[in-house]
Each structure stands twice: as C-alpha cells, then as structure tokens.
Amino acid sequence: MSKYAFLRSNAALIIIGLLLGLVGGFKIANSQYRGEQGEALKRDIARAASGASGSQAEVNAIIEKAKANPNDAELQVKAASQFLQIERPEEAMQFLEQANKTKPNDPRISAGLGFAHFMMGQYDQAMDWLKRSHDQGADDPSVTALLIGAYIRTGKNLDEADRLVNELEAKGVEPARLAQIRKELNDARTGRTVNQGASPGEKNGEAQKPK
C-alpha cells in the first residue's frame, strides 16, 4: 500500500480542490451536491485523483512562474498543488510557506500546510495548521475531517475530536463515513492504532492493536 494511500480519499482531494480554487466547500464529496457539479470541475477533480497535474512542460511552467513571483500567493499555492497531487509534500512545503508569508490569514493556505504535514506523518504540525485553518473560518468538512485524523493519530484533544464529529454530522456528511470516524476515535481512546496511511473515515483495513 502506498504511504499516501489516503491521498485518494475525498478529504484529500477536496483539500487539493480548495487550494486550486476548484471548489467552494465540501460539495464534491457530499452526496447532497454530487449531481450539481459541472463537467469541467469533474475533470479537474478526476485529474487530481489520478495524480495527473498536467504535462511536464505545464507543470514546470507553473513552478518556474511561482519561483519568479514569490509574493503572488495564488501562484505559490498552484505550484504547491502540483507536488501534492504527485505525492511529494516535502517539495510543496516551500511554496506553501512562501504563500503563508504573503497571506498569513488565508484558511486555504493553512489547510494546505496542514495537509502537507499530514502526508509526511507530522501529525502535531498538521494538527496545528488544520486547527488554524478551522479557526480562520474554513467552513469545510474536509478540513475538519483531517483535523480529527490528526487528533486521533496524536492521541490528543479527543474530546474536541468528538465535538468536531458532531459538527460533521450537522453538515450532512454521510452516515457510513461518520460511523468509521467514530470507530477510529473510539480505537484511539482504548489504545488501539489506526492505519497511518488512511485519512479518518477512509477504511484501508481495520485498526490493529499495537504489537
């Protein structure tokens, strides 16, 4: 299994979509809205899901443009997204950090930093950035879901994680996904571990007891 298997999860794809400005919320992952998306948006999300961020020439041009314009936060975010789509979060970090210098109060950028840290298994840092994004007004269940995942993996703030699960429920997240998140949260409380390659609610195997 890929270290970044969770990248195929709804939450991960929506983070990429948010960074690229493709979506304005969790609508693509919420069954209530699935039928309302335009064909162009569907193609963009499908391309992110396949890890195909465009031709090499296009990707290189995006990256070079971002390097030449360090104060353009949107270009930095776009360059970072190219690396996140191909599972290279370490290289995305420099662009996300530069974007954050320019727009330190942008919840999308905070979410992107949290996502990159999550990909690298740096769950304490992911927790800090995702919480910042949430506090900055990221009204998006994908951010909340990853924040819960960071809490589960660190074993911290589990009562807050419970509250956030209720928040997801109020926003109409699918019951099956909520049930899996609650199971993982319960496993964390009882000392069981969750699959480190999966985002919360993405079942890549049952939680296993530590050896």
Side-chain angles (χ1 to χ4, degrees):
M1 182 185 298
S2 167
K3 176 182 177 184
Y4 301 127
F6 74 88
L7 185 58
R8 307 304 177 225
S9 74
N10 282 335
L13 292 178
I14 299 308
I15 291 289
I16 292 174
L18 285 169
L19 288 171
L20 292 173
L22 299 176
V23 290
F26 196 58
K27 294 182 180 180
I28 196 71
N30 187 325
S31 59
Q32 179 181 353
Y33 296 96
R34 281 178 182 152
E36 301 176 7
Q37 308 306 313
E39 291 304 314
L41 175 56
K42 290 179 182 177
R43 286 195 298 270
D44 286 331
I45 293 293
R47 190 171 70 174
S50 69
S53 55
S55 72
Q56 190 60 51
E58 290 173 337
V59 171
N60 288 343
I62 289 169
I63 292 168
E64 291 306 314
K65 192 171 183 180
K67 288 179 178 178
N69 297 274
N71 294 322
D72 189 321
E74 294 305 317
L75 288 177
Q76 303 306 308
V77 163
K78 193 170 184 180
S81 298
Q82 308 307 305
F83 288 112
L84 292 176
Q85 289 177 48
I86 59 173
E87 305 179 358
R88 289 159 61 179
E90 295 86 354
E91 292 170 83
M93 286 297 297
Q94 62 177 308
F95 296 101
L96 289 168
E97 288 171 348
Q98 182 60 36
N100 187 60
K101 290 178 183 178
T102 304
K103 296 180 72 175
N105 297 313
D106 190 322
R108 291 183 311 138
I109 296 169
S110 296
L113 284 160
F115 179 38
H117 281 295
F118 196 105
M119 289 183 75
M120 293 187 287
Q122 298 171 351
Y123 300 118
D124 281 298
Q125 294 96 318
M127 179 176 63
D128 290 343
W129 282 109
L130 292 166
K131 186 176 188 308
R132 181 178 300 188
S133 177
H134 189 271
D135 292 346
Q136 287 170 333
D139 185 23
D140 194 285
S142 58
V143 174
T144 305
L146 284 178
L147 177 55
I148 293 168
Y151 286 156
I152 288 171
R153 282 155 181 76
T154 60
K156 297 176 180 177
N157 301 336
L158 297 183
D159 288 341
E160 173 66 6
D162 267 328
R163 188 190 69 76
L164 292 176
V165 174
N166 292 334
E167 182 180 300
L168 290 179
E169 186 171 25
K171 291 182 178 179
V173 172
E174 294 91 336
R177 188 171 180 220
L178 289 170
Q180 182 61 25
I181 294 173
R182 286 187 169 116
K183 179 185 181 302
E184 294 180 10
L185 183 54
N186 184 64
D187 287 343
R189 288 188 183 282
T190 57
R192 291 159 62 97
T193 60
V194 295
N195 188 330
Q196 296 297 301
S199 67
E202 294 295 323
K203 191 174 182 181
N204 290 316
E206 296 294 335
Q208 298 178 352
K209 292 182 180 179
K211 296 181 180 179

